[in-house]
């Protein structure tokens, strides 16, 4: 039986005092349940402060990205070893805002690849996170053009197999994957529920081919992309959707609480 999970991805929003006030506010109101895990993923700089707020509470701490080396001359990067020091439990990897061309600022003639995550670097990040006992939240999803060309399943399979290459299937126990169609993120265009369920089932089946089908049954698969209080219940009631990765709506305490109670 999988425990539902609702994770808030704050992206580059809120200074630490605002984040602390947000979490403090919903901690006072959130119903403590053991059938749903709640995670907040603040910006790196807010992690120490939010860690103090969520300590001994029902809320777990996540990061939004990580670098795959432990330490060294990697200006501006943060390692899993450093996240581990701050008791980070989860870490998002492969978000479409950090992958390949979606992390590339398209200025004619001076294309600057400032995030440029690839399946290969995502794979290295996952391995390092697992080493430190931090649960990866691996994001996969197709663009609108890929969907329109009928390539959704192919894209997702490539992303999954690339991210998981060389990882022992048994390590995927407690792993989290988020299906985030790129065209649904921050757009208000939520994926049709039946289609979201179909893709999440496909993700589970693909993991089952890679690892043991029993391990695949334990992997939590979230849906992300314009989840709001008015659509969360329907999405989370699907058999293969184990919760959500919430962007915009996680910045509002009331909306996030309503989404949690839908899980
Ligand atoms: P959204 O973002 O809920 O604002 O669409 C989701 C995400 O990017 O994880």
């Amino acid at each position: 039986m999988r425990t539902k999970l609702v994770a808030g991805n704050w992206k580059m929003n809120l200074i630490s005092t605002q984040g602390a006030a947000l979490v403090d506010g919903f901690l006072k109101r959130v119903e403590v349940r053991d059938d749903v895990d709640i995670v907040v993923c603040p910006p790196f700089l807010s992690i120490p402060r939010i860690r103090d707020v969520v300590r001994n509470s029902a809320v777990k701490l996540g990061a939004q990205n990580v670098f795959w080396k432990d330490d060294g001359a990697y200006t501006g990067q943060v390692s899993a070893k450093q996240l581990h020091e701050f008791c980070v439990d989860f870490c998002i990897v492969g978000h479409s805002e950090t992958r390949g061309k979606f992390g590339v600022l398209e200025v004619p003639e001076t294309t600057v690849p400032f995030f440029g995550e690839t399946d290969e670097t995502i794979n290295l990040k996952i391995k390092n996170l697992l080493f430190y006992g931090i649960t990866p939240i691996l994001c996969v999803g197709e663009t609108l053009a890929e969907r329109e060309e009928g390539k959704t399943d192919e894209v997702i399979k490539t992303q999954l197999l690339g991210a998981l290459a060389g990882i022992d299937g048994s390590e995927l126990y407690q792993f989290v994957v988020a299906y985030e169609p790129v065209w649904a993120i921050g757009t208000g265009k939520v994926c049709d529920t039946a289609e979201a369920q179909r893709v999440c089932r496909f993700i589970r089946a693909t993991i089952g081919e890679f690892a043991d089908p029993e391990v695949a049954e334990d992997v939590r698969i979230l849906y992300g992309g314009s989840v709001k209080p008015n659509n969360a219940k329907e999405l989370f009631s699907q058999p293969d959707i184990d919760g959500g990765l919430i962007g915009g709506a996680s910045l509002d305490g009331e909306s996030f609480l309503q989404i949690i109670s839908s899980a």
Side-chain angles (χ1 to χ4, degrees):
M1 181 70 185
R2 297 183 295 270
T3 306
K4 293 261 194 255
L5 192 156
V6 178
N9 174 10
W10 295 357
K11 309 193 179 183
M12 198 178 68
N13 291 298
L14 308 179
I15 58 170
S16 64
T17 44
Q18 294 171 317
L22 174 71
V23 178
D24 200 41
F26 77 70
L27 274 179
K28 291 195 176 97
R29 298 177 54 209
V30 73
E31 184 196 342
V32 181
R33 290 163 48 187
D34 45 17
D35 58 346
V36 50
D37 286 337
I38 306 164
V39 180
V40 289
C41 304
F44 286 132
L45 282 174
S46 297
I47 283 177
R49 177 118 188 210
I50 303 300
R51 181 199 53 170
D52 290 344
V53 179
V54 301
R55 204 193 295 270
N56 301 325
S57 82
V59 176
K60 296 193 167 74
L61 189 58
Q64 298 174 16
N65 202 350
V66 68
F67 194 67
W68 60 88
K69 297 276 191 181
D70 275 354
D71 25 48
Y74 304 104
T75 302
Q77 304 304 309
V78 173
S79 67
K81 183 180 173 187
Q82 292 165 331
L83 294 178
H84 178 71
E85 184 193 3
F86 284 91
C87 308
V88 167
D89 306 289
F90 291 84
C91 182
I92 297 170
V93 281
H95 193 282
S96 60
E97 286 154 16
T98 58
R99 273 182 191 266
K101 60 187 171 183
F102 301 101
V104 169
L105 182 63
E106 289 194 37
V107 183
E109 289 146 41
T110 57
T111 301
V112 185
F114 64 97
F115 295 128
E117 253 187 339
T118 63
D119 288 332
E120 197 183 2
T121 60
I122 290 165
N123 175 254
L124 292 169
K125 292 177 181 189
I126 290 174
K127 286 177 176 157
N128 206 240
L129 288 170
L130 290 173
F131 180 81
Y132 283 98
I134 299 172
T135 303
I137 301 178
L138 166 66
C139 300
V140 296
E142 80 290 356
T143 63
L144 188 57
E146 287 162 344
R147 171 161 285 274
E148 285 171 351
E149 286 166 30
K151 290 188 180 154
T152 299
D153 294 6
E154 182 189 324
V155 167
I156 285 168
K157 189 164 189 166
T158 304
Q159 291 175 341
L160 276 175
L161 297 182
L164 301 181
I167 295 173
D168 190 313
S170 62
E171 285 199 79
L172 300 184
Y173 172 71
Q174 291 197 337
F175 202 77
V176 180
V177 178
Y179 169 49
E180 295 215 313
V182 179
W183 48 270
I185 295 175
T187 58
K189 287 186 203 149
V190 67
C191 184
D192 170 72
T193 308
E195 176 59 6
Q197 158 58 26
R198 186 196 70 76
V199 178
C200 290
R201 179 74 228 159
F202 174 74
I203 291 171
R204 198 177 302 289
T206 306
I207 296 172
E209 283 172 27
F210 171 86
D212 198 296
E214 269 179 39
V215 172
E217 283 305 314
D218 284 336
V219 170
R220 288 187 282 184
I221 303 177
L222 314 181
Y223 168 82
S226 298
V227 177
K228 305 286 176 218
N230 64 359
N231 56 31
K233 204 177 179 95
E234 191 182 321
L235 286 158
F236 299 171
S237 62
Q238 300 304 303
D240 286 288
I241 301 182
D242 305 312
L245 183 55
I246 321 297
S250 71
L251 299 172
D252 176 74
E254 181 56 36
S255 300
F256 196 50
L257 274 173
Q258 283 180 32
I259 292 171
I260 292 164
S261 61
S262 306

